[in-house]
Amino acid sequence: MTLRIRNQFLKIFTFFSITWVSITSLLLIKSIISKQMMQPPTDIRTFPFPWANFFTECRFSAIVCSILILLFFAIGTTFFVTRHLKKTQSSELIFFFGFLIGVLCEAFRLLIITFGLWLTFSDTLLALGKMILFGRTIAALSFFFAALLGEPGKRNEIEQNFVILVAISALISAITPLNTIRITSTGMVTICFPKMISTFKAIVVIISTFAFIYNSKRDEKPAFNWVAINYLILFFGYELLINSDCIITMVAGAFSLLAGTAQYLMALHKIYLWN
């Protein structure tokens, strides 16, 4: 994939992300005005806090703000890459947009809350749950593909590798059963085998981290060690935000995601700018 084609893709992605976030934001505003929003039950919390206080108490406003942070983060990051990294010949950037696609899928969680779909057990709720799971899967696998298939020698295969990334993520989300009867405090349909998905995600993160470190030794580029560290920081922030239902996880997640992403992108910029 040439820089020209990639930059055209960035423009299309920017338009799509702005349009998508604008639509969901307008629906959110409409539901707030019409008082249609309903807080999901709080009996299922991804991060249980037995010492509930001001910072750890489940708050509906923190749930909504965490989703909005993710959505506007995707737009802001797209503008940052378009403006500052348009000459950076990094294959990892393409897979990073797979991560941003996963981030944008969190808007479906906002739709579940906005229209009170968690009160129903409809096919629509199931479909939205599958889309959210697809987003979380591609967000994790995108760094796995970036670490293993982002080397310069595989740049000619970047398009087909990205298609494989999307296909695998879609397959995993399609075959994973969801329970529409039980809804988490963050508005997500519960996964029937949560430990299996958590273990899968942990394995992907570990392999991706060590793959970045291996790339550092293989290519004799110590900056890849910083890529690995910042990847862990940004992904930790992402995980906090997608499961956030209180102030402390919202603040910590936002800070970690923003700081990790900025350093991750700039590390790639330094590695590939003059290649």
Side-chain angles (χ1 to χ4, degrees), residues 48-54 56-57 248:
F49 296 101
W51 59 88
N53 54 39
F54 178 80
T56 60
E57 180 183 359
I248 189 170

Side-chain angles (χ1 to χ4, degrees), residues 26-210:
L26 288 174
L27 291 174
L28 173 64
I29 294 173
K30 180 179 179 298
S31 67
I32 292 175
I33 295 176
S34 59
K35 298 181 180 180
Q36 293 179 339
M37 293 188 69
M38 298 186 66
Q39 180 177 356
T42 59
D43 53 319
I44 303 178
R45 299 188 68 181
T46 308
F47 294 124
F49 296 101
W51 59 88
N53 54 39
F54 178 80
F55 294 105
T56 60
E57 180 183 359
C58 183
R59 294 176 180 273
F60 187 47
S61 57
I63 298 171
V64 175
C65 287
S66 295
I67 299 174
L68 292 176
I69 288 172
L70 286 167
L71 298 182
F72 285 100
F73 157 80
I75 294 179
T77 304
T78 303
F79 274 112
F80 179 84
V81 173
T82 303
R83 182 177 179 83
H84 297 287
L85 281 77
K86 59 183 178 181
K87 295 182 179 180
T88 306
Q89 301 185 36
S90 170
S91 300
E92 288 86 351
L93 284 178
I94 297 298
F95 293 114
F96 182 76
F97 276 90
F99 170 70
L100 293 182
I101 290 173
V103 171
L104 289 174
C105 285
E106 292 301 312
F108 293 111
R109 189 154 51 96
L110 193 62
L111 295 181
I112 291 176
I113 296 174
T114 298
F115 296 106
L117 294 176
W118 60 269
L119 290 170
T120 70
F121 311 116
S122 62
D123 292 338
T124 301
L125 177 61
L126 179 61
L128 293 180
K130 292 286 187 179
M131 291 302 299
I132 297 169
L133 181 57
F134 165 78
R136 296 182 179 185
T137 305
I138 195 173
L141 287 178
S142 61
F143 292 103
F144 178 80
F145 273 64
L148 296 181
L149 303 174
E151 60 186 89
K154 297 185 182 296
R155 284 176 181 167
N156 294 331
E157 304 172 2
I158 191 72
E159 294 92 343
Q160 69 182 47
N161 290 334
F162 191 84
V163 172
I164 293 173
L165 167 64
V166 174
I168 292 177
S169 301
L171 177 62
I172 292 175
S173 62
I175 65 176
T176 303
L178 300 178
N179 185 358
T180 56
I181 298 178
R182 305 184 73 209
I183 305 295
T184 68
S185 60
T186 59
M188 173 56 181
V189 181
T190 54
I191 301 171
C192 292
F193 303 104
K195 291 184 178 179
M196 181 186 71
I197 296 298
S198 298
T199 301
F200 167 76
K201 188 179 293 186
I203 292 174
V204 168
V205 170
I206 292 172
I207 294 177
S208 302
T209 303
F210 281 105

